[in-house]
Amino acid sequence: MTDISFRAEAVRCPHCGAPVHFDAKIGKLCCEHCGTVTEPEDINIKEATTDEAAKSAHYDPGTGDIASFRCTSCGAEMYSSGVTAALSCPYCGNNTVVPAQISGEFAPDYVLPFAKTREEALAAYENYRRKNIFKRFMQPRVFRRTLSTDDIQGVYVPFRLYDGTAEAEASFVTYDRKPRLYTETLTGTLEFENVPADASKRIGDDLMDNIEPYELSELKTFSAAYLPGMLAERPDEKKDIDEERAKKRVKKSSVSLMKAELNHKHVEEERSGKIKLGRSVSHYALLPVWLLTTRYKDSIYRFAMNGQTGKFIGELPMSAKKTLALAFLALVLPIVLCMAISTELWAIGLTIGAFVALAIVLGVFWIMQVKDTASVWDADYYIKGKIRIESHTEKENK
Ligand SMILES: [Zn+2]
Ligand SMILES: [Zn+2]
């Protein structure tokens, strides 16, 4: 186990030297003391030395290595996840960036600046928590407290974006009216651009898939000056795992586009399709996410908002106590009502009550399982031009 210390460079106001932060509303850096507004291009941050970049490349967060960050403003030592690329110093309040984590092999090509503010993220969370009356009643008390903007963290999540051409091949058994079946084999090419795969292990893939799409035409050439005030991380996911994810998405899109070209209405069977990625290039970009994490009964519940578009996704647990109370009420109420009318009806009341109570318990457990998130995504949003079908053969099955 090794201990590696990184330089965390404080980003200061060019006018008075106080801490600055990136303001999503105006897309510029704001001084917290004198209010001076600075264009990101006008901020100079001392770049990493080759030694520092090598240290970062050598450092492996998966092996239990410890990383510390030394604030260049006050000299304090901070500890954080070993993939941290920007953080705020708890001692002097300066927003810092870590040059070693954004240079060499970890130098991002692009950054997509935050367009939604912390206040907008908090408002979206409150709206989500309250919009469904049932969820609002059933959520555990810990979720009902009013949060402050400090509970929400702005994170630049590392993403790999894939450009290229996919050559796809697939066979389908199709029919118009049974029993006449046909086999149709199609090959085609598909061009795609910026298919994203998040390169962070810490942040759930499905959470990130669900806040897509990002409007990636607004990507800016990377500059560390966009980072102050946010947390940023460098990739810790392996490249081939990300490429596999991007490929899966492209495949899903190609298959559905091919299906649209079939000569017969119905698909009886989909034979395994092949996909080959040719000329695939990956770029590395930091994309903006507002994150909120709540702990409840040993599980962590995350809420995420797309920092560019404001698309919001989350999971909310149901209180177990409230579920049982509701079920008990459902059991007892029919019996009491029946007994009030006639003493012989109580048996019917007991039966009805038991069924209703059971239904409530099962219903709530079902809702607890259903999350607002879904996984396995396609790449439809990132297709450049339609698929070109190059060959299409059809034969009647005997
Ligand atoms: Zn200032
Ligand atoms: Zn400091």
Side-chain angles (χ1 to χ4, degrees), residues 71-76 78 89-94 96:
C71 173
T72 59
S73 184
C74 69
M78 310 170 255
C89 174
Y91 304 100
C92 69
N94 264 302
T96 68

Side-chain angles (χ1 to χ4, degrees), residues 34 42 68 74 78 80 82 90 126 160 165 188 223-224 348 350 354 382 392:
C34 72
D42 297 337
S68 60
C74 69
M78 310 170 255
S80 178
E126 286 299 322
R160 292 192 177 100
T165 309
S223 157
I348 303 166
L350 179 68
Y382 308 94
H392 186 169

Side-chain angles (χ1 to χ4, degrees), residues 22-189:
F22 182 79
D23 187 322
K25 215 166 212 146
I26 55 171
K28 290 172 184 160
L29 291 142
C30 275
C31 173
E32 285 157 26
H33 178 67
C34 72
T36 298
V37 172
T38 317
E39 293 284 346
E41 303 88 78
D42 297 337
I43 291 274
N44 282 320
I45 294 160
K46 234 163 90 195
E47 279 176 26
T49 60
T50 24
D51 274 5
E52 280 184 309
K55 208 157 72 169
S56 175
H58 174 76
Y59 174 81
D60 184 357
T63 58
D65 286 357
I66 294 165
S68 60
F69 301 85
R70 187 176 292 280
C71 173
T72 59
S73 184
C74 69
E77 195 91 336
M78 310 170 255
Y79 291 90
S80 178
S81 141
V83 291
T84 301
L87 72 167
S88 160
C89 174
Y91 304 100
C92 69
N94 264 302
N95 294 318
T96 68
V97 297
V98 185
Q101 304 273 57
I102 45 173
S103 56
E105 67 175 291
F106 303 119
D109 299 306
Y110 305 107
V111 58
L112 189 66
F114 274 86
K116 295 287 172 196
T117 62
R118 200 179 284 272
E119 289 70 26
E120 286 172 307
L122 184 65
Y125 169 73
E126 286 299 322
N127 181 43
Y128 166 80
R129 208 171 55 76
R130 288 161 202 257
K131 75 178 172 193
N132 182 319
I133 290 172
F134 182 68
K135 272 189 177 173
R136 189 175 163 182
F137 173 72
M138 295 304 288
Q139 63 195 246
R141 189 170 290 142
V142 57
F143 287 86
R144 305 185 104 179
R145 79 189 163 93
T146 310
L147 296 171
S148 82
T149 46
D150 290 341
D151 294 308
I152 293 182
Q153 209 159 38
V155 185
Y156 276 110
V157 178
F159 273 78
R160 292 192 177 100
L161 309 172
Y162 293 86
D163 286 357
T165 309
E167 283 166 39
E169 190 194 312
S171 292
F172 305 88
V173 176
T174 59
Y175 64 95
D176 284 322
R177 198 186 300 151
K178 280 183 176 177
R180 291 184 78 161
L181 295 172
Y182 304 87
T183 300
E184 297 188 57
T185 303
L186 294 84
T187 60
T189 48

Side-chain angles (χ1 to χ4, degrees), residues 27 53 62 97 227 264 283 297 341 361 379:
V97 297
L227 309 185
H264 303 278
H283 307 284
K297 289 198 189 294
I341 300 163
V361 171

